[in-house]
Structure formats: structure tokens, C-alpha cells
Amino acid sequence: GLARGLHETVKVLDKKIAHLCVLAEDCDEAAYTALIEGLCDEHQIHLIKVPEKKKLGEWVGLAKFDANSNIKKTIGASCVAITEYGEKSKALDMILAHFA
């Protein structure tokens, strides 16, 4: 499962059901960043930072596409939390090895 946005992400981080949290570095709200980092640290949840919230939004399905599969509009996501990894893959193995 996936929690997108501050409200959903804070809920799953506080319940300690998130396996991983991804935070955009270009988030312009310092309190927002401090809250997410603090909850991840307090509950020992892994945190990855990515450069752009627009790119993170695209990765988690917040992009709209035209008929030719070109991105028409992307909504940024400052943070997301992963509650279930899904099927095993090489990408998942790389992420898990990063935190080992």
C-alpha cells in the first residue's frame, strides 16, 4: 500500500505500519519536513530523500497523461509512505540492501 501526502503519511508513520518513507527535498515547508523526519526517526522507519516533489508525484501515480502517453500534468507529492512492498523485485532488493 501507499500513503500519499502529509495527512495520510503522518497517519501511517504514527501507527508504525510504514516500511519506508520518501520525502522530497524541495519541500518548502520546514515544519512539514521536520515532522516527517522526526516521526521516521522516532519510530525507526527508513527515510529516503528525492530531489523533486513533481517527480515523486509522477512515480506514485499523480500524473495525468494525454492520448499519446505524454505527461499532461503532474501533481507534486512532498512525501509518501510505503506500507506494503508488493512483489519481490531487483529494485526492492536494492532498496532493502541500502538500509541493511
Side-chain angles (χ1 to χ4, degrees), residues 11-69:
K11 277 201 302 190
V12 298
L13 290 176
D14 209 29
K15 290 180 182 177
K16 303 177 191 173
I17 57 174
H19 299 293
L20 173 69
C21 185
V22 184
L23 179 66
E25 291 176 342
D26 66 347
C27 176
D28 50 359
E29 199 58 49
Y32 186 113
T33 302
L35 175 63
I36 297 298
E37 289 174 343
L39 285 171
C40 288
D41 189 46
E42 179 182 335
H43 300 306
Q44 298 176 343
I45 296 168
H46 298 300
L47 177 67
I48 293 178
K49 292 189 177 182
V50 296
E52 300 173 28
K53 58 186 169 188
K54 288 279 190 185
K55 189 55 98 171
L56 181 57
E58 180 184 336
W59 292 341
V60 298
L62 295 176
K64 296 190 185 248
F65 297 89
D66 64 15
N68 297 325
S69 297

